[in-house]
Amino acid sequence: MTQHRRHTLLFTLLSIGMAVFFLWDLCYGSVRIPLPDVVRTLFGGEATKASWTYIVWDFRLPKALTAVMAGMALSVSGLMMQTFFRNPLAGPYVLGLSSGSSLAVAFVVMGSAFLPGSLAMALASPYGIAAASCIGSVVVLFAVLTVARRLRDTMSILIVGLMFGSFTSAITGILSYLSTAEQLQRFTFWSLGSLGNLSWEAVTIVAIGTGIGLALAAFCIKALDALLLGEHYAQTLGIPMARTRIWVLLSVGILAGVITAFAGPIAFVGLAVPHIARLLFRTSRHSVLFFATLLLGGAIMLVCDALCQFPGLEIQLPINAVTSLLGAPMVIWLLLNKRKWAS
């Protein structure tokens, strides 16, 4: 089978798989809704029970769409980071963006007692926490960008990002140590990650941020292909490295920031999905890997979200725990069988 036919087959299977997982995520949960009722509801009809229409439109559909966008955003940002830093361990949170978001949320949740009453109430709302998370991510992003203008090699920027992450994590740890049990519990729930409880207004904001970030990422595809051969070779091909560096960091900052703001920190996806895409498609071309990580990331997040509310479970598991439990063994198995797949 030629590579083109193989890629066409894989893209077809992934598209079908994501559609199936999307419907599966809408049907199953603490309440099982038959597929015909789900499809009828999606096309504007009424389900057999009025409560099923409410569950699909106001709870499961926003959650499933957020899962797709989170998978796509984190996977593409992971692919960009691994190529840009030429490091297989790089991910969307390696620049400290997640730690910056966590620090800002920690200030809001655990430091609101020191603020005026009206301001404390506004910041304590879900939108206040989301805004604080975005601000924390953007502040760290601009700090990294400021330092990046003085550094020429990408490895130094990677180390700077790790240091920013360690610094903000240390302050978050101090705030956690000094907080009350109630404040610590609230912050812990946010840090575990959740795709539920999002209104359509919040989903729209996530969609706009994800769209802008992915558009910037698509703009960098040619530069990322050239970077596979090194920065010097990319410059000889006419790739403006300084401008590319800003576009890549800005895209990753938007993608990781908007998802973390509304869904909390989500591990594994940004690190592992690009590796799975490379093993499946056996190519390093970003024009292929970009769309492969989009479909794979969306499909894997839908599976993880469905497992969070698996039938028979009376509670909903945190998405962060499920992504790690499902993803870590999968990556180890894929890497152990890498030679067999390549042959």
Side-chain angles (χ1 to χ4, degrees):
M1 183 184 296
T2 64
Q3 190 180 53
H4 178 72
R5 291 185 62 184
R6 176 184 171 80
H7 289 174
T8 303
L9 177 62
L10 285 171
F11 277 125
T12 304
L13 292 176
L14 283 175
S15 301
I16 295 172
M18 195 163 78
V20 171
F21 292 141
F22 189 83
L23 292 173
W24 179 40
D25 198 30
L26 295 179
C27 290
Y28 289 92
S30 56
V31 177
R32 183 182 177 280
I33 303 175
L35 179 60
D37 285 285
V38 169
V39 174
R40 198 181 307 126
T41 304
L42 291 178
F43 283 95
E46 290 291 332
T48 306
K49 296 182 180 178
S51 60
W52 289 353
T53 304
Y54 170 77
I55 291 173
V56 171
W57 271 111
D58 294 316
F59 182 71
R60 291 188 185 174
L61 186 56
K63 191 159 61 68
L65 290 174
T66 306
V68 172
M69 290 187 286
M72 289 180 169
L74 297 177
S75 303
V76 169
S77 56
L79 173 68
M80 296 175 72
M81 287 290 93
Q82 288 170 12
T83 301
F84 186 69
F85 291 113
R86 279 173 288 162
N87 188 326
L89 296 178
Y93 301 116
V94 76
L95 292 179
L97 305 185
S98 177
S99 300
S101 297
S102 299
L103 177 60
V105 173
F107 270 124
V108 169
V109 174
M110 294 181 269
S112 57
F114 301 101
L115 299 173
S118 57
L119 181 60
M121 286 182 63
L123 289 176
S125 68
Y127 287 105
I129 291 177
S133 175
C134 279
I135 291 171
S137 176
V138 169
V139 167
V140 173
L141 172 66
F142 275 99
V144 173
L145 282 173
T146 303
V147 177
R149 296 180 64 179
R150 290 174 165 268
L151 299 174
R152 292 188 175 183
D153 62 301
T154 53
M155 285 305 296
S156 298
I157 301 174
L158 183 65
I159 294 172
V160 168
L162 290 172
M163 293 303 101
F164 271 117
S166 299
F167 181 77
T168 53
S169 295
I171 298 177
T172 305
I174 293 172
L175 287 173
S176 302
Y177 183 76
L178 298 175
S179 65
T180 64
E182 183 183 355
Q183 291 170 334
L184 185 60
Q185 184 186 40
R186 191 177 175 203
F187 177 73
T188 302
F189 278 133
W190 176 84
S191 62
L192 288 173
S194 173
L195 301 174
N197 301 321
L198 290 183
S199 65
W200 278 107
E201 186 180 1
V203 173
T204 304
I205 296 172
V206 174
I208 294 172
T210 304
I212 294 173
L214 291 179
L216 290 175
F219 182 72
C220 298
I221 284 178
K222 183 180 177 182
L224 291 173
D225 276 336
L227 276 172
L228 289 173
L229 300 173
E231 289 188 19
H232 179 71
Y233 184 81
Q235 285 177 327
T236 60
L237 291 177
I239 303 296
M241 280 308 303
R243 194 185 307 168
T244 300
R245 186 180 299 166
I246 292 175
W247 285 122
V248 169
L249 293 178
L250 193 59
S251 172
V252 171
I254 293 173
L255 291 172
V258 73
I259 298 301
T260 305
F262 287 92
I266 299 176
F268 156 71
V269 178
L271 171 66
V273 170
H275 289 292
I276 299 173
R278 290 190 192 94
L279 290 173
L280 282 177
F281 284 81
R282 302 177 189 173
T283 182
S284 57
R285 290 167 49 207
H286 287 81
S287 55
V288 175
L289 291 176
F290 177 80
F291 295 102
T293 49
L294 280 180
L295 293 173
L296 265 173
I300 288 175
M301 277 301 292
L302 283 170
V303 173
C304 292
D305 182 47
L307 293 177
C308 287
Q309 51 182 2
F310 202 73
L313 288 178
E314 296 183 356
I315 58 173
Q316 184 166 342
L317 299 176
I319 188 71
N320 208 357
V322 175
T323 54
S324 299
L325 286 172
L326 183 70
M330 184 189 302
V331 174
I332 293 172
W333 181 81
L334 285 170
L335 292 176
L336 288 175
N337 291 276
K338 187 176 180 180
R339 288 187 177 181
K340 184 173 72 177
W341 285 53
S343 64

